[in-house]
Amino acid sequence: MNKMILYYALLSKRFFKKVSFVILLLSIPLLTAGLRIVSHQDSGMLKIILCAEDEDLLTKDIMETLMKEKTVLQFTVMDNAEEARKAVRNNQADAAWIFAEKFQEKLEFYSRYGYSEDVPVLVVEREDTIPLQLSKIKLFGTLYPHVAYSAYQHFAKEELLPKEDISDEALREAYEISSQEGSLFNLAYVDFTEETDRQNYITAPLRGLLSLMILLCGFAAAMFFFQDEEQGMFDRISPKKRQAQLCLYELAAMAPAAFVSLTALFITGNTGKMRWECLIMAVFLSDCTLFCSLLKRILRSAKIMGAVIPLLLLGMLVLCPIFFSYRGLRIIQILLPPYYYLNATHNTGYLAGMLLHAAIIGTGFCLSALKSDRDLHP
């Protein structure tokens, strides 16, 4: 055991002397820093211009509400409606929401009669896409409380109590008492942990990208092992010990990457409970070590593995829940270690799945090593 630990330490030191491995490790904090810098800048899926044609107080209130909210929509304010239209025409913005003159009067007319010849808000777009259609739902959601109160005020004064002299203050007080405060929905994960802070959509894929970086370090270790085999470094070592050294190669390469990745996730605030994070990372590291070792034994050639690595990483990028969750090819997804790791973050059941996956991969690796030993010593 002492020799094994010493060998692992010397092997790790050897990896850090390889420029390509150091560059691979440095790419992890660089990726994290880049995503964090971009996430703090003004960004959004859509850029929408807000413009008011007059100094209506309600318009100002709505525009301030939209500007303060943290959404995937990036709002900017312009004073001139024609300039807002021009920005949309020149592809400087995806849409412009122009609040008309006498906005409050037009909104009250719409809430009273259900239609309005003079629209309260003019939406200017180059094309009608799905994201822009969804953005209009956001606009209506912002306008709805004002429309609802106007309809309530009209019904109370003219339909419910037409002969009563009810002040606007009394109506507002009654409306506020009956209104529901807070959100109607409470977001929670499968493990019943509540979502306390909404994650930035730019840094959300960070965990998945870092898991692929860890695997890439494992693939690089397998390539280094191929090089050492070609140079005859393992000629005097028995096949059984050679397979153990292959696993140490993988672990020595991926352990630093896992540590740096876990640190990056903690710094960016993309972690849950640290004990759970460390546990699933340790299991993921073991699973990846066996996965890369088995893959090296199956491919048996540095050229073949070099050709397969980009395809594997691309497949994991698409099939694992990094940018989106795809459920169409579950039979392939369950073969990939990042699939279990990413889902285990908020679903404890996937930890058992990852352990089972590691056990199956480890069994396959051991059987492959035994077969190779029997071929050499029949």
Side-chain angles (χ1 to χ4, degrees):
M1 181 61 69
N2 291 334
K3 289 182 179 180
M4 193 73 72
I5 294 173
L6 178 61
Y7 182 80
Y8 176 81
L10 294 174
L11 189 59
S12 300
K13 183 180 179 181
R14 181 167 174 253
F15 276 135
F16 277 100
K17 289 184 177 182
K18 293 181 179 291
V19 177
S20 57
F21 181 74
V22 173
I23 293 174
L24 195 57
L25 276 183
L26 289 176
S27 64
I28 296 176
L30 288 175
L31 173 65
T32 306
L35 289 177
R36 193 174 185 186
I37 291 171
V38 173
S39 67
H40 284 85
Q41 295 177 350
D42 293 334
S43 59
M45 293 178 61
L46 296 174
K47 184 177 181 180
I48 298 176
I49 297 173
L50 305 177
C51 181
E53 293 185 339
D54 64 4
E55 297 296 326
D56 191 292
L57 293 177
L58 181 58
T59 303
K60 285 185 176 181
D61 180 57
I62 292 173
M63 289 173 64
E64 288 177 0
T65 300
L66 290 171
M67 292 293 294
K68 289 178 181 178
E69 289 186 358
K70 294 181 179 180
T71 67
V72 295
L73 304 178
Q74 180 186 354
F75 293 106
T76 55
V77 177
M78 278 191 177
D79 297 329
N80 189 285
E82 188 56 38
E83 289 295 326
R85 292 188 180 91
K86 185 178 178 180
V88 176
R89 284 197 299 268
N90 295 337
N91 201 22
Q92 296 174 353
D94 297 289
W97 296 349
I98 302 174
F99 295 84
E101 294 182 4
K102 299 180 180 179
F103 169 77
Q104 188 166 0
E105 293 181 11
K106 294 178 180 179
L107 195 66
E108 289 177 356
F109 185 89
Y110 172 80
S111 64
R112 179 175 298 185
Y113 300 106
Y115 72 95
S116 178
E117 295 180 358
D118 296 327
V119 293
V121 183
L122 176 65
V123 177
V124 180
E125 301 171 348
R126 290 188 313 278
E127 55 185 351
D128 192 23
T129 62
I130 298 297
L132 286 172
Q133 291 177 11
L134 295 174
S135 70
K136 293 169 192 173
I137 298 176
K138 173 65 178 176
L139 173 61
F140 182 77
T142 307
L143 298 178
Y144 177 77
H146 307 283
V147 175
Y149 177 73
S150 180
Y152 156 80
Q153 186 182 38
H154 167 71
F155 180 80
K157 284 187 174 182
E158 300 188 13
E159 301 293 335
L160 188 62
L161 301 170
K163 298 181 180 180
E164 299 290 336
D165 185 16
I166 306 175
S167 64
D168 292 338
E169 291 77 10
L171 282 175
R172 173 62 72 175
E173 183 179 355
Y175 182 80
E176 294 294 339
I177 292 173
S178 61
S179 64
Q180 175 70 39
E181 293 184 1
S183 176
L184 291 174
F185 304 98
N186 185 32
L187 301 179
Y189 294 102
V190 178
D191 62 353
F192 303 107
T193 57
E194 294 186 4
E195 185 183 50
T196 56
D197 189 17
R198 191 156 297 184
Q199 196 176 30
N200 188 287
Y201 77 99
I202 293 178
T203 59
L206 181 61
R207 181 186 294 273
L209 294 175
L210 292 181
S211 68
L212 295 187
M213 295 297 293
I214 295 172
L215 263 175
L216 185 57
C217 289
F219 295 147
M223 299 297 286
F224 292 147
F225 195 87
F226 273 123
Q227 292 177 3
D228 292 343
E229 278 186 324
E230 292 175 359
Q231 294 172 3
M233 291 182 61
F234 305 113
D235 289 349
R236 297 184 179 181
I237 301 175
S238 65
K240 290 182 180 180
K241 289 184 178 180
R242 193 178 301 182
Q243 305 317 312
Q245 286 185 335
L246 173 58
C247 291
L248 281 177
Y249 262 66
E250 300 293 347
L251 191 60
M254 288 190 286
F259 175 77
V260 175
S261 298
L262 200 58
T263 304
L265 290 172
F266 176 75
I267 292 173
T268 55
N270 287 275
T271 55
K273 295 179 180 179
M274 284 306 299
R275 288 183 180 179
W276 180 253
E277 292 287 347
C278 293
L279 176 60
I280 61 174
M281 179 60 79
V283 177
F284 176 65
L285 193 59
S286 303
D287 194 12
C288 290
T289 297
L290 295 169
F291 179 82
C292 294
S293 299
L294 180 61
L295 190 67
K296 186 267 174 191
R297 288 202 53 79
I298 293 173
L299 298 179
R300 294 180 177 276
S301 169
K303 291 182 179 179
I304 297 176
M305 190 163 188
V308 169
I309 286 173
L311 298 177
L312 267 176
L313 291 175
L314 182 61
M316 292 179 187
L317 190 68
V318 175
L319 295 175
C320 297
I322 297 175
F323 292 100
F324 55 89
S325 182
Y326 182 69
R327 302 179 183 275
L329 297 172
R330 183 62 62 85
I331 193 170
I332 299 177
Q333 290 176 322
I334 60 176
L335 302 176
L336 308 174
Y339 173 76
Y340 297 96
Y341 170 67
L342 296 176
N343 283 296
T345 307
H346 292 290
N347 190 338
T348 55
Y350 280 92
L351 177 61
M354 189 158 50
L355 287 168
L356 179 61
H357 182 266
I360 294 173
I361 294 294
T363 303
F365 176 72
C366 292
L367 292 176
S368 175
L370 287 174
K371 182 179 181 302
S372 177
D373 188 31
R374 288 173 184 173
D375 292 340
L376 290 174
H377 301 90

